[in-house]
Amino acid sequence: MGINPIEYKPWKKKRGDHKKRFLSISSNVFRTNLKSKAVLGIIIIGLLLTLVIPLLGAVLTPHEKLTKDMAVGVEEDREDDLETFGNFYINGDMNIEGSLSLQGMLTLDGNVFGTGMYTSANGITSETGLNVSGALDINGTAFLDGELTGTGTIYGFGFIEGKGNLSGDWSGEATVFDNITEDIQRIRDDREMDNPDSSPDQKDGQTTNPVDDDGTVPPGSPPPYPPPEYRMNLTGDLGTEGDLLVDGEISINGSFYVNGYLSLRGSVEGTIFFDNHNMLAQYGELTMAGSVMVDGEAGLMGMLQGEGIIIGTGFLNGTGNVSGSLSQEDITNIISMDCGDDDDDTSSEDSLFVEGSLTIEGDVLCAGDIGIDGSLYIDGVCVIMGNVTGSGSLEYKSTEMFHGEVYVMGAFDTNGTVVVDGSLNGAGMIMGTGNINGTGMVHGYFEPDEETYKEDEEIKTRLLEMESENEMSSYYSSQTSGFLRNELVVIFTLLLASIICADLISKDISNNSFVLYFSRSITTRDYISGKFIGAAVTLGLYTFIVPVVVALAIIGTQTGSDYSTSFVVLGLTVAGALITTVYFIPFGLMISSFTKRPSYAGVGIFMSFFVLIIISEIFRMFDKRWMLANPASILDFTYQLLFDRALPSQITGSMVAGILLTFLAIPLAILYINIHRKGVGR
Amino acid sequence: MISSQNRDPSRISANGLTVRFGKVLALDHFTINIPRGIVGLLGPNSAGKSTFIKTMLGLVNPQSGEMLIDNVNPRTDITTVRDNIGYMPENDCLIDEMNPVELVSYMGRISGMEKNDSIQRTHEILDFVGLGEERYRKIGSYSTGMKQKAKLAQAIVHDPNILFLDEPTNGLDPQGRDEMLDLIKKIGKSGKTLLVSSHILHEIEQVSSYVIIINHGKLVKDGPTQELMNPDKTRFRLKIRGETSAIDRFLHSIETRVEVISRIDESNQLSLSIICGKGNSFLFASAREHGIQIRHFGPDTLTLEDVFVQTFQGGG
């Protein structure tokens, strides 16, 4: 290559303002990001996953206007409540003033005090005991080696077992659980000693069903009438881990659970609680030849099969299944306990509650309530005068009361109140004079035939009125978080911010190109502003599109004329999207300025947030204010402040604002110092 | 005061500039007035050359001292100063993921040029530096020589009045060095001030009109290149041939009027560096008298290397 003959030419045009030159950096960042397949890919995938469904919901669901509920969800009363899906370990005491709901296990080395309510799906373990002034609702097992004392109420579907004492002012009296099985055995032995010549099957001239050696009862046996002296009366609770064979009658004022094999030939009065998971696995079925008188509760955790009759006015509840060989007569009897009262009594005593599944081939007539946490399948005529509540499903097929098929996911109401926590689907008629409310979904196909046209029209009208009463559409009522508080959007935003910010500073470090910027009329502030705005515009392609497009779609398809409210919410939504956009970038840029490897920076940004979330989730159990360490929670709280919503107790608006500003300002300050040192300090 | 204070109006001046990095004193009360034209900034490694350039650019904060660039103090108005400066750093600084068109036009934009202007100017400059054929290749794939040209291109895209070139020929082969020096000369012809830092004295000697020698952060010597290379104009190179005894007699005859600086025996002749006052006809008369042939007689100029070596041998 020879010497280049081209001469140097001066350039004399006027140059632009210094203050706007950072925009050139922003523009370059934006254009570079748009060339990045990773960035574009995540934006597109994110939009597909987070925009389509809310957008369809917005367009397809009738609504009057854009409301705050649609943006940030239904306002929840979070005051003093704590809900967790993980396990909970406390080394000290626990004082509950509000409610505590745990899906996991609560392990306590200390005491529980307070007037609040504790509910658990998995139970509680305590070595030192519990003092409950409020309510203790245990749906799992409570292992109690200490003492349980207090004046509150204990209820639920779980067990209390252990070596401790149970005392207090509630229904039960102090019982040493270890001795329960021995007590039962002793009763049985005493009975045999007192009547050496008479079998349990022949007592006082009455015939009870024979019991095989394995404890089962042949099907078809008539109901037993055990002699009074064989009655086992307990004022406390009764539980056993072993098998139990009862030939006589059991009367229990407390609770009764059996975790082993159970064969009943006598009748049971009082509260009975079956936990027959093991029995089902080992023996296949529970045979119940006698009658079970249920004046309290009958809880079924396992499978209940047999030809016995369950009668009474109490509850039948639990998490087990009731199915199989039950005849229509049996079913009628089951339900008939609810029909005992002529009054339209909605008290709990006239209720059927099933946590498992219940299949009924016959008709159902129920004057009381029906609660379903499992599934309820009815193929006959169903007339329900009471309430239907729960989170399970109800499937109903009939040609008389219902035209076609009604499929109820969660809740269904006729003349009472229906609380829909799940969804109510169907193509039949929904009859009744009650309300439908709740947070679930109500939709279906209601096309009537000619005969029922008029009636169906009325129902449709009524249904819409019911929704209107609750001032929310059924679709949005199920979206408790709102389109702005979509957790998936936060995850994609974080992912996108990690990728966008990762190489913004780190590549300049690795290329040593700071000197290119700072040998020009670019200050550290210009440099950071340029990078920040470029990243924000790129990130905004995602963070703005999702909420703003949904909000605009809702406004565009609203049926009402109150556009002023809609536009106020739209403005708040834009502000929320702006906060989302700028929220992660300072931190991302700061991390990027710590390393010359973009991959390290990207992982560092994502993991930093992840670690903060984990730390927050761990320590929030001890103090709610640790939620402020969770960047996602801060964003969530900010939305709530923006939309004038209540924050959780112990957390104030000034705290959120302070942390938010700290989260923005401190990374920017560190970034400034870092860049200044790298660019100007040497 | 410094020796160059009464020369052309200086564009760059520093007075008592002190820069310290921890315990290392990079510039020690450095004072200089730099005139227009191509100015060589010489010094051994770690002499403070790059530190001086970065200090003038505002990339390093001095602990004390004053400085002016085109009568503007960089410490108070760095943006104005930087608008008039182009800087070609010594080390790698280019953004590998860009091609030169993107990089140079980007640098033009952040120097205040409109987008279209910067693109047009970028193509002109890339043609000028000789990267026209390779302008759309990623810089990461460039050779050292091409990267040096790209660095020069980004430094001049906004047509600054003052250029700081820090080791512009670093890592270049002889042809690349020639090309770079040619580019520097061409830019110098446009009336700009180029401060070229280098430790390759031969290159500076080729292009610079003024030289500054710096060591341990202090000014050692400065001045027009030609003056440094022949400081007193009484130095001559004399080459003679003849019998050994005749040469001895000749040297003896002139020793009262001439100071012999150096004496080099070349094949069949003797090369002398001498200093003599006005009038030198006696040399020729004495040569004729002793039968000596004078093969060459003329001014004896030093190379910059000589100047450099002499400077440091003299305590610099």
Side-chain angles (χ1 to χ4, degrees):
Chain A
M1 188 188 295
I3 298 298
N4 192 341
I6 300 173
E7 293 296 324
Y8 180 80
K9 293 177 188 171
W11 184 84
K12 296 301 176 190
K13 288 186 182 177
K14 193 178 178 183
R15 284 185 233 159
D17 189 357
H18 291 123
K19 293 177 181 175
K20 295 179 181 173
R21 293 187 189 177
F22 69 93
L23 292 175
S24 299
I25 300 177
S26 303
S27 165
N28 184 64
V29 170
F30 182 64
R31 282 189 294 109
T32 305
N33 278 320
L34 285 190
K35 292 178 185 172
S36 164
K37 290 177 182 174
V39 171
L40 281 181
I42 290 178
I43 289 176
I44 292 168
I45 292 171
L47 289 176
L48 287 174
L49 291 179
T50 58
L51 177 62
V52 173
I53 292 174
L55 195 58
L56 286 176
V59 172
L60 298 177
T61 309
H63 52 270
E64 288 191 354
K65 60 187 174 185
L66 175 62
T67 65
K68 289 181 180 179
D69 287 342
M70 296 173 183
V72 292
V74 179
E75 191 166 12
E76 297 172 9
D77 180 14
R78 302 171 66 167
E79 185 102 15
D80 293 325
D81 292 347
L82 171 62
E83 185 173 357
T84 174
F85 292 94
N87 294 332
F88 207 52
Y89 300 95
I90 298 179
N91 291 323
D93 296 342
M94 181 166 68
N95 189 1
I96 306 169
E97 298 295 338
S99 70
L100 172 63
S101 174
L102 289 178
Q103 296 296 316
M105 171 67 77
L106 171 63
T107 303
L108 279 177
D109 290 334
N111 297 311
V112 177
F113 302 103
T115 57
M117 179 174 177
Y118 166 77
T119 62
S120 171
N122 285 329
I124 184 169
T125 299
S126 173
E127 293 182 358
T128 58
L130 305 177
N131 183 308
V132 182
S133 301
L136 189 60
D137 183 2
I138 301 172
N139 291 303
T141 301
F143 299 97
L144 189 66
D145 289 336
E147 193 167 7
L148 177 60
T149 58
T151 57
T153 306
I154 299 176
Y155 57 91
F157 308 112
F159 304 103
I160 299 176
E161 59 182 324
K163 296 176 183 176
N165 292 321
L166 179 66
S167 61
D169 294 338
W170 51 74
S171 58
E173 291 184 5
T175 302
V176 179
F177 297 146
D178 279 352
N179 295 328
I180 289 176
T181 307
E182 292 179 14
D183 288 344
I184 295 168
Q185 187 62 40
R186 181 169 50 77
I187 291 169
R188 191 177 177 188
D189 293 345
D190 291 347
R191 184 190 59 200
E192 290 177 352
M193 286 176 65
D194 293 342
N195 302 281
D197 298 329
S198 62
S199 74
D201 301 338
Q202 298 287 334
K203 190 67 183 172
D204 293 341
Q206 293 179 330
T207 301
T208 56
N209 294 327
V211 180
D212 296 338
D213 292 338
D214 61 357
T216 59
V217 179
S221 301
Y225 299 97
E229 58 265 36
Y230 289 170
R231 286 174 68 100
M232 183 166 69
N233 293 300
L234 294 179
T235 54
D237 292 342
L238 172 63
T240 177
E241 292 294 333
D243 297 344
L244 181 62
L245 175 64
V246 180
D247 292 335
E249 195 171 88
I250 300 173
S251 175
I252 308 161
N253 289 328
S255 67
F256 173 38
Y257 79 87
V258 180
N259 201 22
Y261 175 80
L262 172 64
S263 173
L264 286 175
R265 286 195 288 175
S267 62
V268 177
E269 293 178 357
T271 300
I272 182 168
F273 204 91
F274 299 104
D275 181 8
N276 287 310
H277 294 296
N278 293 333
M279 180 213 73
L280 179 63
Q282 294 168 15
Y283 300 98
E285 66 176 13
L286 164 65
T287 301
M288 194 170 60
S291 298
V292 178
M293 304 294 291
V294 183
D295 291 328
E297 295 181 4
L300 292 137
M301 307 303 281
M303 175 71 78
L304 174 60
Q305 292 180 317
E307 297 183 355
I309 299 172
I310 301 173
I311 57 175
T313 58
F315 288 109
L316 175 62
N317 59 17
T319 58
N321 295 318
V322 180
S323 64
S325 59
L326 291 175
S327 67
Q328 182 167 323
E329 182 185 6
D330 299 325
I331 297 301
T332 303
N333 287 331
I334 289 173
I335 305 304
S336 70
M337 68 181 180
D338 302 318
C339 301
D341 290 341
D342 292 334
D343 299 335
D344 185 12
D345 187 357
T346 57
S347 70
S348 60
E349 289 184 355
D350 290 334
S351 299
L352 168 65
F353 194 88
V354 181
E355 285 202 331
S357 62
L358 177 61
T359 302
I360 301 174
E361 300 291 338
D363 296 338
V364 174
L365 176 64
C366 182
D369 297 342
I370 294 181
I372 308 154
D373 279 344
S375 65
L376 174 60
Y377 176 83
I378 304 169
D379 198 22
V381 175
C382 179
V383 178
I384 303 168
M385 304 302 289
N387 299 323
V388 179
T389 60
S391 57
S393 64
L394 185 148
E395 185 172 359
Y396 177 80
K397 288 183 178 178
S398 173
T399 56
E400 294 187 22
M401 295 299 292
F402 290 82
H403 298 277
E405 181 181 278
V406 176
Y407 181 69
V408 180
M409 290 294 294
F412 172 63
D413 188 19
T414 53
N415 295 317
T417 298
V418 172
V419 178
V420 182
D421 289 328
S423 64
L424 175 60
N425 302 280
M429 291 169 57
I430 299 172
M431 299 187 68
T433 57
N435 295 322
I436 296 177
N437 55 27
T439 59
M441 298 169 66
V442 180
H443 57 86
Y445 177 68
F446 295 96
E447 183 176 328
D449 55 33
E450 287 184 6
E451 294 177 359
T452 57
Y453 178 80
K454 187 176 179 182
E455 191 176 19
D456 283 354
E457 278 298 297
E458 290 173 359
I459 289 165
K460 279 200 292 187
T461 305
R462 190 180 305 129
L463 191 60
L464 288 175
E465 286 172 356
M466 290 170 185
E467 291 171 350
S468 178
E469 282 172 11
N470 292 297
E471 293 187 349
M472 75 178 76
S473 75
S474 56
Y475 170 76
Y476 289 106
S477 64
S478 69
Q479 306 297 304
T480 53
S481 59
F483 59 76
L484 193 57
R485 289 171 63 196
N486 188 336
E487 289 178 358
L488 201 56
V489 172
V490 175
I491 291 171
F492 269 101
T493 305
L494 174 56
L495 194 61
L496 203 52
S498 302
I499 292 175
I500 290 171
C501 294
D503 59 359
L504 282 188
I505 312 288
S506 58
K507 269 199 179 167
D508 284 342
I509 298 173
S510 63
N511 288 327
N512 195 28
S513 49
F514 283 119
V515 71
L516 293 182
Y517 291 98
F518 297 121
S519 63
R520 293 178 153 73
S521 297
I522 294 291
T523 62
T524 306
R525 193 179 59 190
D526 293 334
Y527 176 83
I528 293 173
S529 302
K531 296 281 183 178
F532 187 103
I533 292 172
V537 171
T538 314
L539 194 57
L541 285 180
Y542 175 71
T543 52
F544 268 88
I545 284 179
V546 175
V548 172
V549 166
V550 173
L552 289 173
I554 291 170
I555 294 173
T557 55
Q558 73 177 44
T559 55
S561 58
D562 185 6
Y563 282 96
S564 59
T565 302
S566 296
F567 283 120
V568 168
V569 176
L570 176 64
L572 293 173
T573 301
V574 171
L578 183 63
I579 291 169
T580 312
T581 305
V582 302
Y583 181 64
F584 294 104
I585 294 175
F587 192 85
L589 291 178
M590 179 187 74
I591 297 290
S592 182
S593 72
F594 288 150
T595 175
K596 60 172 65 174
R597 296 197 176 195
S599 56
Y600 287 5
V603 173
I605 295 164
F606 194 83
M607 289 308 295
S608 298
F609 282 102
F610 194 65
V611 168
L612 281 174
I613 290 171
I614 290 174
I615 290 172
S616 167
E617 288 299 312
I618 291 172
F619 287 101
R620 63 180 281 193
M621 296 176 183
F622 306 106
D623 190 331
K624 272 189 181 178
R625 282 169 290 195
W626 275 99
M627 292 169 77
L628 294 168
N630 183 340
S633 295
I634 291 293
L635 203 54
D636 197 51
F637 296 152
T638 306
Y639 295 147
Q640 294 186 51
L641 283 177
L642 194 63
F643 283 81
D644 199 23
R645 290 291 172 85
L647 295 172
S649 61
Q650 300 180 28
I651 292 175
T652 64
S654 55
M655 282 182 190
V656 175
I659 296 285
L660 182 67
L661 287 176
T662 304
F663 203 74
L664 295 175
I666 288 183
L668 282 176
I670 293 172
L671 176 66
Y672 185 91
I673 294 167
N674 230 353
I675 300 297
H676 195 73
R677 276 181 57 240
K678 286 185 169 71
V680 186
R682 291 286 183 272
Chain B
M1 205 55 190
I2 55 178
S3 59
S4 55
Q5 65 185 139
N6 294 322
R7 299 182 191 282
D8 290 343
S10 62
R11 307 188 90 163
I12 306 168
S13 63
N15 189 8
L17 213 54
T18 300
V19 174
R20 184 184 293 275
F21 298 127
K23 294 180 179 177
V24 177
L25 194 58
L27 286 180
D28 184 6
H29 296 89
F30 187 75
T31 299
I32 188 73
N33 280 343
I34 300 173
R36 292 171 186 270
I38 302 175
V39 178
L41 183 60
L42 306 182
N45 290 333
S46 304
K49 305 187 294 290
S50 295
T51 302
F52 173 66
I53 290 175
K54 288 181 179 178
T55 306
M56 301 309 284
L57 276 167
L59 297 176
V60 170
N61 289 323
Q63 275 72 47
S64 65
E66 299 294 330
M67 48 189 175
L68 286 176
I69 295 180
D70 273 348
N71 293 320
V72 179
N73 186 348
R75 301 186 78 172
T76 56
D77 192 0
I78 188 64
T79 52
T80 303
V81 168
R82 284 178 179 171
D83 262 354
N84 291 320
I85 292 179
Y87 176 45
M88 177 182 174
E90 176 185 1
N91 299 316
D92 272 352
C93 61
L94 302 173
I95 302 171
D96 289 344
E97 295 75 22
M98 289 182 167
N99 63 45
V101 174
E102 291 169 334
L103 176 75
V104 176
S105 63
Y106 178 38
M107 291 299 122
R109 285 202 305 283
I110 63 176
S111 296
M113 300 171 78
E114 294 295 328
K115 184 180 178 184
N116 290 337
D117 289 342
S118 71
I119 292 173
Q120 181 190 343
R121 173 71 176 170
T122 293
H123 287 289
E124 283 179 17
I125 291 300
L126 291 176
D127 285 338
F128 169 69
V129 300
L131 282 177
E133 301 296 323
E134 309 288 345
R135 66 185 69 185
Y136 292 111
R137 257 176 62 187
K138 297 278 184 201
I139 290 173
S141 67
Y142 270 19
S143 67
T144 304
M146 295 162 85
K147 284 183 178 176
Q148 289 295 88
K149 287 178 178 177
K151 278 158 63 175
L152 178 63
Q154 64 80 28
I156 59 177
V157 64
H158 55 300
D159 191 34
N161 292 324
I162 298 168
L163 262 176
F164 291 148
L165 308 181
D166 201 352
E167 304 283 359
T169 57
N170 234 6
L172 299 183
D173 58 20
Q175 183 182 333
R177 274 205 298 273
D178 288 345
E179 289 175 10
M180 182 60 70
L181 293 175
D182 182 59
L183 292 171
I184 292 170
K185 283 180 193 169
K186 286 176 179 174
I187 297 168
K189 284 178 188 172
S190 66
K192 300 183 186 309
T193 297
L194 286 82
L195 186 62
V196 184
S197 159
S198 178
H199 60 271
I200 302 176
L201 307 178
H202 171 67
E203 296 169 356
I204 298 295
E205 188 181 313
Q206 283 185 51
V207 297
S208 68
S209 59
Y210 196 87
V211 168
I212 299 165
I213 300 175
I214 182 173
N215 193 26
H216 296 310
K218 289 183 175 177
L219 178 69
V220 175
K221 184 177 277 188
D222 73 313
T225 310
Q226 289 306 317
E227 285 189 19
L228 288 178
M229 291 167 67
N230 192 358
D232 48 17
K233 297 183 179 175
T234 58
R235 190 179 184 114
F236 296 93
R237 172 67 55 183
L238 176 63
K239 294 182 179 178
I240 55 177
R241 183 181 292 179
E243 296 285 335
T244 306
S245 56
I247 289 174
D248 289 341
R249 287 196 300 275
F250 169 72
L251 292 176
H252 184 71
S253 68
I254 63 173
E255 66 183 3
T256 55
R257 303 176 68 177
V258 170
E259 180 186 355
V260 178
I261 302 297
S262 67
R263 171 178 169 157
I264 302 169
D265 281 322
E266 297 173 350
S267 56
N268 300 325
Q269 66 181 13
L270 182 65
S271 178
L272 300 168
S273 178
I274 60 172
I275 295 174
C276 63
K278 290 182 180 177
N280 44 40
S281 57
F282 69 94
L283 286 173
F284 294 93
S286 180
R288 191 182 315 114
E289 182 184 339
H290 294 97
I292 296 296
Q293 293 180 17
I294 294 181
R295 309 289 296 177
H296 170 84
F297 183 76
D300 184 20
T301 56
L302 301 173
T303 63
L304 268 182
E305 194 167 343
D306 296 332
V307 175
F308 195 78
V309 170
Q310 282 180 10
T311 300
F312 287 100
Q313 281 177 343

